């Protein structure tokens, strides 16, 4: 069974705990009539039998008042239900579309037309099922509990027998659910086969007509439809067993109560009013709730589980891919090596990078410096695979990066440009985009490491909404968001292409120190000498020449670097950075 769909649902529901708590609160208030109905009916009947019509009517009025309170609570529920259901639908659409695009672009086979059924019918089905299930579950749960609680207060012996019968019926129902889910899955697969067969036939209808194959095409679609109908009939017969469960837990307790009522009343263990009150709990509260649970609720649970399972098979397989690639690279170093790297903007232009050889063993921290326009960003794009060199190669872990699948390359190597991109969504969405399974605790820790914590607190936490492009954020704040996004990603090589240019020196030092502690290789295109001073090695670009060394070596051997140091005005070493324990990449 594929659990990607269920995992997504759980993650989205956890992110909306506040809305779910409000749903529970209003549901508890809504169940007030179920709790009071039997008690108030019993009390009213007792007053009427004692010829106290006014007080009996007062008890019935209280029951009516509780119903009005419940109606108000019901009205308050729907906005909170929408706040849960609609984001889940959006997340499912995003996951299915990403999976369809990835599958289509990464395979030479014909696109799977059944994806249309997933992104339309199945996603919409999950939305409707989840909404219905939430409405029903909270009503059934609170109504049934309230009815049992009221029955216990009114007639404990009847409540005990009823509880045993309900427990048995629910146990039988739970044992039947896996079989129902398996049959429902077959129905869903058969429906997809109809969509796939029809899509293939309709897509090649002209060829079928040209080859006189109309009858064969019709037969293929008809066979798929007949198979779908057959599985639906089997499921319908299996669903019919639910009526026995409803009788066992919802109707048999009433039969037992009515059959034993004369002896119970004669023995003085129950009054006539208590018998009527207990019957009210069973007929108005418990039996309808159980019928809804076993009937409609069971169908909804089966439909939701199977549909989520099937949808999950079409998601972009991020977690398994990450594990597989991680296992592949666990036995090799992820070194970044440039050999004879040459690039020029145009066939007759002077090379920006000319025959550069550079080896960065995994875990190194390199700063690239040079005058403005010398080609630092060009080198970053070449190392990151965004530009193709005219001559030479860039290899990652011994493999030419042009031979590495784009999705895998981007997972291993991240480039953060000067212009940071922030998209519409929550702060959590922005930070976890490259690491979809990162936890809130990990995001909070990363924000503290990179210096984003104050911004997150000002915005209102991880659930804070950010507009398209992050218009409400400053340029430096947008850079911090983009930096933290990559910080929590699984990238083993990070290239900062002046990605801290809009941060003040202290904030820049915090970010670079965090990335330096982070496992992996760090390349910084420096715009301040302090960035170079923090690096283990420095690459100085000087026209068609490049020189590699430490700060002390380059001050003595590179006139350009010495001039840059003097221009930037950093004669003394920068203050040491605060040390924190190493962080683990999610």
């Amino acid at each position: 069974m594929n659990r990607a769909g269920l995992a997504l649902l759980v993650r989205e529901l956890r992110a909306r705990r506040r809305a779910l708590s409000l749903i529970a609160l209003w549901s508890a208030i809504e169940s007030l009539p179920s709790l009071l109905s039997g008690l108030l009916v019993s009390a009213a009947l007792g007053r009427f039998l004692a010829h106290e019509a006014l007080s009996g009517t007062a008890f019935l009025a209280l029951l009516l008042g509780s119903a009005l309170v419940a109606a108000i609570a019901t009205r308050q529920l729907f906005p909170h239900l929408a706040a849960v259901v609609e984001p889940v639908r959006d997340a499912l659409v995003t996951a299915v579309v990403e999976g369809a695009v990835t599958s289509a672009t990464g395979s030479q086979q014909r696109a799977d037309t059944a994806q249309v059924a997933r992104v339309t019918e199945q996603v919409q089905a999950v939305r409707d099922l989840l909404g219905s299930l939430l409405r029903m579950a909270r009503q059934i749960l609170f109504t049934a509990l309230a009815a049992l609680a009221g029955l216990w207060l009114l007639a404990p012996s009847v409540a005990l027998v009823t509880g045993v019968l309900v427990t048995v019926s629910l146990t039988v129902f739970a044992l039947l659910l896996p079989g129902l889910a398996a049959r429902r899955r077959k129905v869903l697969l058969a429906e997809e086969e109809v969509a796939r067969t029809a899509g293939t036939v309709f897509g090649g209808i002209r060829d079928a007509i040209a080859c006189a194959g109309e009858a064969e095409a019709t037969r293929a679609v008809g066979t798929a439809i007949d198979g779908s109908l057959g599985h639906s009939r089997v499921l319908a017969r299996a669903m019919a067993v639910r009526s026995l469960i409803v009788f066992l837990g919802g109707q048999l307790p009433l039969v037992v109560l009515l059959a034993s009522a004369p002896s119970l009343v004669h023995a003085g263990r129950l009054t006539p009013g208590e018998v009527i009150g207990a019957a009210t709990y069973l007929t108005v509260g418990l039996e309808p709730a159980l019928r809804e649970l076993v009937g409609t609720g069971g169908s909804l649970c089966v439909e939701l589980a199977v549909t989520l399972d099937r949808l999950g098979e079409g998601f972009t397989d991020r977690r398994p891919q990450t594990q597989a690639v991680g296992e592949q690279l666990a036995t090799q170093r992820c070194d970044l090596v440039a050999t004879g790297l040459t690039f020029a903007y145009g066939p007759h232009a002077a090379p920006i990078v000319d025959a550069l050889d550079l080896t960065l063993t995994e875990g190194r921290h390199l700063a690239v410096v040079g005058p403005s326009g010398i080609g630092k960003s060009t080198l970053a794009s070449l190392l990151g695979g965004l530009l193709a060199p005219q001559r030479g190669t860039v290899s990652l872990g011994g493999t030419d990066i042009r031979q590495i699948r784009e999705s895998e390359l981007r997972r291993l190597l991240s480039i953060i440009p000067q212009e940071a991109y922030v998209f519409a969504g929550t702060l959590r969405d922005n930070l976890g985009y490259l690491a979809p399974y990162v936890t809130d605790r990990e995001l909070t820790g990363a924000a503290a490491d990179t210096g984003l914590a104050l911004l997150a607190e000002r915005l209102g936490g991880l659930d804070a909404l950010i507009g398209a492009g992050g218009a409400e954020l400053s340029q430096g704040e947008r850079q911090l968001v983009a930096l933290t996004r990559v910080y929590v990603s699984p990238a083993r090589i990070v290239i900062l292409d002046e990605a801290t240019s809009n941060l003040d020196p202290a904030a820049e030092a915090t970010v670079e120190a965090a990335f330096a502690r982070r496992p992996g290789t760090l390349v910084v295109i420096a715009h301040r000498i302090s960035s170079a001073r923090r690096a283990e090695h420095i690459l100085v670009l000087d026209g068609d020449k490049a020189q590699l060394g430490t700060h002390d070596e380059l001050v003595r051997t590179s006139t350009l670097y010495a001039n840059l140091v003097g221009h930037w005005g950093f004669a003394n070493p920068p203050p040491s950075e605060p040390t924190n324990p190493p962080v683990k990449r999610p």
Side-chain angles (χ1 to χ4, degrees):
M1 174 176 278
N2 188 298
R3 298 187 180 276
L6 179 61
L8 184 147
L9 176 62
V10 171
R11 187 170 68 249
E12 292 296 321
L13 291 179
R14 284 179 176 173
R16 283 149 189 88
R17 289 187 289 267
R18 183 176 182 274
L20 290 173
S21 299
L22 290 172
I23 290 173
L25 173 62
W26 289 112
S27 297
I29 298 174
E30 185 188 34
S31 65
L32 192 61
S34 298
L35 176 65
L36 299 178
S37 58
L39 292 170
L40 293 177
V41 167
S42 174
L45 182 59
R47 295 299 187 277
F48 285 130
L49 291 176
H51 304 289
E52 298 177 7
L54 185 60
S55 58
T57 303
F59 281 114
L60 295 180
L62 287 176
L63 183 59
L64 177 61
S66 68
L68 293 176
V69 172
I72 296 173
T74 302
R75 185 176 184 275
Q76 298 297 321
L77 276 167
F78 288 96
H80 305 299
L81 287 170
V84 173
V85 173
E86 298 304 328
V88 170
R89 188 271 313 274
D90 295 343
L92 283 171
V93 169
T94 300
V96 172
V97 171
E98 285 181 351
V101 172
T102 300
S103 176
T105 56
S107 173
Q108 300 299 321
Q109 301 178 356
R110 180 187 294 270
D112 183 7
T113 53
Q115 290 281 11
V116 177
R118 295 189 189 113
V119 80
T120 53
E121 296 178 10
Q122 293 180 18
V123 169
Q124 185 63 28
V126 170
R127 173 189 178 276
D128 295 340
L129 288 169
L130 181 60
S132 300
L133 195 58
L134 283 174
R135 291 195 302 271
M136 181 175 299
R138 52 92 191 167
Q139 185 175 18
I140 291 173
L141 177 63
F142 286 95
T143 298
L145 290 177
L148 287 173
L151 186 60
W152 180 264
L153 294 174
L154 185 67
S157 58
V158 176
L160 182 62
V161 173
T162 301
V164 171
L165 292 175
V166 169
T167 301
V168 172
S169 66
L170 291 180
T171 302
V172 174
F173 177 59
L175 294 175
L176 289 176
L177 278 179
L180 294 176
R183 291 179 174 84
R184 179 61 187 120
R185 177 178 171 81
K186 291 180 180 179
V187 171
L188 198 62
L189 291 175
E191 291 173 351
E192 288 187 12
E193 182 60 28
V194 171
R196 184 181 295 107
T197 304
T200 302
V201 168
F202 295 155
I205 192 67
R206 289 185 298 177
D207 295 335
I209 294 174
C211 299
E214 300 98 316
E216 182 64 27
T218 302
R219 188 160 45 251
V221 176
T223 300
I225 293 174
D226 290 341
S228 177
L229 289 175
H231 287 299
S232 297
R233 293 191 186 99
V234 172
L235 177 63
R237 287 194 293 270
M239 288 289 193
V241 182
R242 296 175 301 178
S243 59
L244 296 177
I245 298 174
V246 175
F247 172 78
L248 178 62
Q251 297 167 355
L252 185 57
L254 180 64
V255 172
V256 172
L257 172 66
L258 296 180
S260 59
S263 59
L264 291 174
V265 172
H266 181 73
R269 299 182 62 181
L270 289 178
T271 66
E274 290 172 338
V275 171
I276 298 300
T280 300
Y281 279 125
L282 295 175
T283 57
V284 178
L286 188 61
E287 194 275 343
L290 188 61
R291 181 181 296 277
E292 283 290 299
L293 173 63
V294 175
T296 309
S299 299
L300 292 177
C301 288
V302 170
E303 290 276 350
L304 183 61
V306 173
T307 307
L308 280 172
D309 173 55
R310 187 59 183 150
L311 278 173
E313 295 177 1
F315 289 179
T316 302
D317 199 5
R318 294 176 180 176
R319 183 183 291 271
Q321 178 187 26
T322 297
Q323 293 173 345
V325 173
E327 293 169 1
Q328 174 188 348
L329 294 176
T331 58
Q332 67 184 60
R333 297 181 63 87
C334 202
D335 298 340
L336 185 65
V337 179
T339 305
L341 197 61
T342 302
F343 180 84
Y345 288 100
H348 304 294
I352 299 294
V353 179
D354 190 11
L356 175 67
D357 293 328
L358 178 65
T359 298
L360 279 177
T361 56
E362 185 171 12
R364 289 297 180 89
H365 180 182
L366 174 73
V368 180
V369 301
S372 178
I374 202 66
K376 301 186 295 295
S377 293
T378 299
L379 177 60
S381 297
L382 289 168
L383 294 177
L386 299 180
L387 288 177
Q390 275 85 28
R391 293 189 302 275
T393 60
V394 177
S395 63
L396 184 60
T399 302
D400 191 323
I401 61 174
R402 289 172 292 190
Q403 299 177 4
I404 301 176
R405 187 173 179 177
E406 183 70 17
S407 60
E408 184 175 338
L409 177 62
R410 293 303 147 221
R411 193 188 67 82
L412 293 172
L413 189 153
S414 289
I415 300 178
I416 311 178
Q418 182 175 3
E419 293 298 326
Y421 180 70
V422 177
F423 54 85
T426 64
L427 182 59
R428 177 187 295 102
D429 295 335
N430 273 275
L431 298 182
Y433 180 73
L434 300 177
Y437 295 99
V438 68
T439 65
D440 286 358
R441 182 176 180 179
E442 289 169 331
L443 289 179
T444 302
D449 290 340
T450 61
L452 183 71
L454 289 178
L455 172 61
E457 183 179 354
R458 178 175 67 81
L459 293 176
L462 296 176
D463 291 320
L465 290 175
I466 298 177
E472 65 271 44
L473 304 179
S474 68
Q475 292 182 343
E477 289 170 340
R478 289 197 292 271
Q479 285 188 332
L480 270 180
V481 171
L483 287 160
T484 308
R485 179 191 303 147
V486 172
Y487 183 76
V488 299
S489 77
R492 294 175 64 170
I493 298 174
V494 175
I495 301 176
L496 306 182
D497 185 7
E498 299 198 19
T500 59
S501 58
N502 291 304
L503 301 180
D504 59 55
E508 180 183 63
T510 299
V511 168
E512 290 183 5
F515 273 96
R517 295 190 303 271
R518 178 184 183 273
T521 303
L522 176 63
V523 179
V524 178
I525 307 301
H527 62 280
R528 293 189 180 104
I529 196 61
S530 55
S531 295
R533 292 297 306 274
R534 283 186 286 267
E536 294 174 307
H537 292 87
I538 303 165
L539 180 67
V540 181
L541 297 184
D542 185 6
D544 58 353
K545 297 180 295 183
Q547 189 171 352
L548 182 67
T550 65
H551 170 78
D552 293 335
E553 292 170 347
L554 291 172
V555 167
R556 294 192 305 269
T557 60
S558 172
T559 303
L560 174 59
Y561 184 73
N563 289 335
L564 288 173
V565 171
H567 174 71
W568 276 324
F570 235 108
N572 299 315
S576 59
E577 305 299 340
T579 58
N580 290 318
V583 295
K584 290 185 178 181
R585 190 167 47 238

